[in-house]
């Protein structure tokens, strides 16, 4: 009787414990990701903000003085037009992102729907084969290819499509090309992942309903792959806006970007507070742009990529 009488009590006590464990499990699993973000994202951001509010010089050192004036000085100094550098970087990022979409989407579509399963992995490896070479080395090699005496300009001049003074290296086009080339794989992979999850029978159903190939693609495939395009835009745009390498190796005096300004302020002039302030401003601007982009484009189906 005692055992029978206590059993319900034990069951009633164990049930809330089990429910509590089920409810706490997601939060416990999220601790790893939260700790990662705190260590490698939040702490560096706060550190950069603190450094930007310091005053001093490389010889005497820097001290924390709540120097908010460094932010206003960034955009009123006529000798160093940081606002121009920022706007130019945003333009390069937008242009390179559009190029990667135009080039990367057909590549991802071809691999996802037009080749057999045995060839998909080798083709994806070809997309990423350039990553086997250092980022700086492959960008520097394009500086040789696009030079005035390089093969591209020489061929264009030989067939009469370019004059003697024609040049590609040192122009905005060369920087945008370098950004798009180096980040193309970051657009192809997420789009491919989204396309791979689309049931091919949806296209067949659209054709059965008298929709042509273009209309079927526009109303079925493209909307269902929106999450891949969204993820690719995030990866490519953020990387291109803050990149100092392509503009330094492929650009000239008129292609100076905010990434170069941050690099020169930190390592060249040792203006650590200025470099930190520029980085903070860049992060805030990118955050606002990406937030607006996410609200406009929608992110409901991003979980399909997980």
């Amino acid at each position: 009787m005692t055992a029978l009488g206590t059993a319900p009590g034990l069951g009633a006590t164990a049930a809330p414990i089990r429910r509590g464990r089920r409810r706490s499990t997601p939060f416990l699993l999220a601790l790893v990701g939260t700790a990662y973000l705190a260590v490698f994202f939040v702490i560096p951001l706060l550190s950069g903000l603190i450094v930007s509010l310091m005053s001093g010089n490389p010889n005497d050192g820097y001290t924390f003085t709540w120097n908010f004036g460094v932010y206003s000085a960034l955009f009123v100094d006529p000798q160093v037009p940081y606002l121009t550098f920022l706007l130019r970087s945003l333009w390069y990022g937008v242009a390179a992102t559009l190029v990667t979409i135009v080039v990367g989407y057909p590549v991802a579509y071809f691999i996802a729907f037009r080749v057999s399963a045995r060839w998909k992995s080798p083709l994806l490896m070809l997309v990423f084969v350039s990553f086997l070479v250092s980022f700086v080395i492959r960008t520097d090699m394009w500086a040789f290819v696009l030079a005035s005496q390089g093969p591209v300009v020489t061929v264009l001049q030989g067939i009469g499509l370019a004059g003697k003074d024609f040049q590609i290296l040192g122009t905005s086009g060369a920087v945008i090309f370098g950004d798009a080339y180096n980040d193309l794989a970051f657009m192809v992979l997420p789009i491919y992942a989204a396309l791979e999850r689309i049931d091919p029978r949806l296209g067949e159903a659209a054709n059965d309903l008298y929709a042509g190939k273009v209309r079927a693609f526009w109303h079925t495939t493209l909307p269902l792959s929106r999450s891949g395009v969204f993820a690719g835009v995030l990866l490519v745009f953020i990387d291109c806006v803050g990149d100092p390498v392509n503009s330094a190796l492929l650009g000239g005096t008129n292609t100076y970007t905010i990434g170069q300004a941050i690099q020169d302020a930190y390592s060249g002039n040792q203006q650590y507070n200025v470099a930190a302030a520029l980085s903070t401003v860049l992060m805030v601007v990118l955050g606002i742009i990406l937030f607006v982009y996410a609200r406009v484009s929608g992110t409901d189906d991003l979980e399909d990529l997980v």
Side-chain angles (χ1 to χ4, degrees):
M1 291 295 293
T2 303
L4 293 175
T6 56
L10 291 175
T13 303
I17 295 176
R18 288 194 296 269
R19 287 196 297 269
R21 288 177 178 175
R22 286 196 296 269
R23 293 175 181 176
S24 62
T25 298
F27 297 99
L28 294 175
L29 294 176
L31 285 178
V32 177
T34 303
Y36 180 88
L37 289 175
V39 173
F40 296 103
F41 185 76
V42 177
I43 293 178
L45 283 180
L46 293 177
S47 299
L49 179 61
I50 293 173
V51 173
S52 69
L53 299 177
M54 291 182 175
S55 301
N57 56 72
N59 297 325
D60 301 328
Y62 290 89
T63 56
F64 184 76
T65 58
W66 295 99
N67 181 26
F68 285 100
V70 67
Y71 288 95
S72 60
L74 293 178
F75 303 103
V76 298
D77 187 356
Q79 297 181 350
V80 187
Y82 290 115
L83 181 59
T84 301
F85 303 154
L86 176 60
L87 295 177
R88 182 181 295 146
S89 298
L90 293 175
W91 155 239
Y92 288 167
V94 171
T97 302
L98 292 177
V99 172
T100 57
I101 293 176
V102 172
V103 177
Y105 199 104
V107 173
Y109 184 91
F110 176 78
I111 298 175
F113 295 128
R114 292 293 183 262
V115 300
S116 61
R118 62 178 295 183
W119 287 104
K120 289 184 178 181
S121 294
L123 290 176
L124 287 174
M125 287 300 299
L126 288 177
V127 174
F128 286 93
V129 71
S130 63
F131 285 85
L132 299 176
V133 182
S134 170
F135 177 85
V136 176
I137 292 177
R138 64 176 184 262
T139 304
D140 193 44
M141 290 303 298
W142 275 112
F144 166 76
V145 174
L146 300 177
S148 299
Q149 304 300 324
V152 175
V153 176
T154 301
V155 170
L156 292 177
Q157 291 174 342
I159 61 179
L161 294 179
K164 293 182 179 181
D165 297 331
F166 177 77
Q167 64 177 14
I168 300 177
L169 192 66
T171 64
S172 297
V175 177
I176 294 172
F177 169 80
D179 286 331
Y181 164 76
N182 284 303
D183 288 342
L184 179 62
F186 295 140
M187 183 64 71
V188 172
L189 183 60
I191 293 178
Y192 168 79
L195 292 173
E196 185 70 11
R197 294 175 180 270
I198 298 176
D199 192 339
R201 292 176 297 181
L202 293 175
E204 298 174 0
N207 294 330
D208 292 339
L209 295 174
Y210 305 102
K213 292 183 178 181
V214 175
R215 189 175 182 183
F217 168 81
W218 189 260
H219 291 283
T220 57
T221 305
L222 186 61
L224 292 175
S225 62
R226 183 180 60 178
S227 59
V229 176
F230 179 85
V233 168
L234 293 183
L235 294 173
V236 175
F237 179 72
I238 294 175
D239 187 59
C240 290
V241 171
D243 173 55
V245 176
N246 286 284
S247 55
L249 297 180
L250 303 179
T253 56
N254 295 324
T255 62
Y256 196 82
T257 61
I258 194 67
Q260 288 179 272
I262 295 173
Q263 184 181 49
D264 291 341
Y266 183 84
S267 59
N269 303 324
Q270 295 183 332
Q271 295 176 315
Y272 304 129
N273 56 339
V274 175
L278 289 172
S279 300
T280 303
V281 170
L282 179 60
M283 289 294 297
V284 172
V285 172
L286 287 176
I288 294 174
I289 293 175
L290 296 178
F291 176 78
V292 173
Y293 171 68
R295 297 293 297 177
V296 172
S297 64
T299 57
D300 294 338
D301 56 349
L302 281 181
E303 64 271 12
D304 294 339
L305 294 178
V306 180

